[in-house]
Amino acid sequence: MVYHKQQLKEERDQPRPFGKHPGFIVRRHEPFNGGPQPALLHRSFITPTELFYVRNHGAVPQVDPARYRLTIGGMVQRKLELTLEDLQANFARHTLVAALQCAGNRREELMRVEPIPGEVPWGSEAVGNAAWGGVRLRDVLQAAGVAEHALHVAFTGLDEVERHGRSFGFGGSIPLEKALSEEVLLAYEMNGAPLEPVHGYPLRVVAPGYIGARSVKWLASMMVQETPSDNYFQAHAYKLFPPSARADNVDWSSGMMLGDFPVSAVICSPDQGASVPAGIVTVEGYAIAGGGRTVERVDLSADGGTSWISATLQHKKQRWAWTLWTAHVELAPGQHQLIARAWDSAANTQPEDPRHIWNFKGYINNAWHRVDLLVR
Ligand code: MTE
């Protein structure tokens, strides 16, 4: 779906669910899921909260801060039960600018290869870059004392999700090694304000460089354990399955649990299908690298990938954050296709075609990003 300026204007008077911007594309109302029209995304390095995408699997829980408790158990020396005040008073506050990206970002392009029923048809808006504030997960784990042989930290949220006739809190896990790294936060602030309810108030995990699903919102409990979480969203969903797998033949154990996301560049402006005057066209977008790697270069092609120019990166070398980029290309009247691709600090780049990375859950599409233009 493409939003044009006129549509944005018409939507200004519409209700704003969860305080989101009028240019928010609501992909689902219940549970609420959506993100900004991509042209709004590259306007600022820090994504304003009103533009930050929302990915929910159940209704947003209303959490009473006075009754809120975070429990820490499993393979620890001391089980802990902490209030929000305990966390704020007894652990150092840290801030970090980090991007979150849903594993389903750009699923829409995979759906054009072969339908992916039942999943949210994300364009390129399920991503944002925020300033998070909170405590380091490792400081809390150290207070609990991690037992020998522990390998994973499993999180469960306070929301209620229905799957296969069962109701349970959304959950997932990260390896202990990641949990002990300095970038993983238990965040109570986003962009300098307490977390909004829709983003996990009062406390959420922020696991930078990992798919968004591991950044569990409305965090209720953490379990230190030898195995990954057996929550549906770790053991079934958010896994990368072989190309031959389909919903009716899948061997759930065959999938790879997703962690780091791959490098990707997206064109935010001009919009898909835009009509622009001939001459120098300004192309803008975002690029993101997972796993603590940095975006080193963004290439832009206007001739199907035969030749490329390098874009200017605005925030090169900032680990965990995205970078915004700009390129200028001269285009004569006619139909054109622009293509963007990024390279990260491990020399990874993007596959050319979404056909080559299609998977039946529609995750991790980082194929070359293409935008068709009419140049007049
Ligand atoms: N945490 C809970 N409790 N419930 C959820 O549905 N969705 C996950 C993650 N944490 C989810 C959750 C997914 S898939 C993503 S991509 C991110 O939250 C999205 O975070 P946001 O809505 O703050 O952008």
Side-chain angles (χ1 to χ4, degrees), residues 257-271:
M257 287 175 178
L258 289 166
D260 293 346
F261 53 71
V263 66
S264 182
V266 159
I267 299 168
C268 294
S269 172
D271 276 349

Side-chain angles (χ1 to χ4, degrees), residues 25 114 116 128 131 139 147 166 182 189 230 234 264 273 290 298 300:
I25 306 165
E114 186 181 323
I116 301 176
D139 291 348
R166 256 185 6 102
E182 63 175 21
E189 290 167 3
D230 61 2
Q234 181 81 30
S264 182
V298 172
L300 189 80

Side-chain angles (χ1 to χ4, degrees), residues 63-73 76 78-92 134-145 158 186 188 202-204 218-222:
V63 184
D64 174 358
R67 297 180 56 194
Y68 174 77
R69 299 286 181 278
L70 168 67
T71 61
I72 298 121
V76 290
R78 291 166 292 280
K79 290 191 171 142
L80 299 180
E81 193 176 286
L82 302 173
T83 64
L84 191 58
E85 291 74 41
D86 292 335
L87 281 164
Q88 291 170 334
N90 300 328
F91 296 90
V135 301
R136 283 194 175 134
L137 172 56
R138 78 169 177 205
D139 291 348
V140 177
L141 290 174
Q142 273 158 13
L158 286 165
L186 301 181
Y188 44 78
L203 193 74
R204 75 173 302 165
W218 314 291
L219 184 63
S221 74
M222 306 202 297

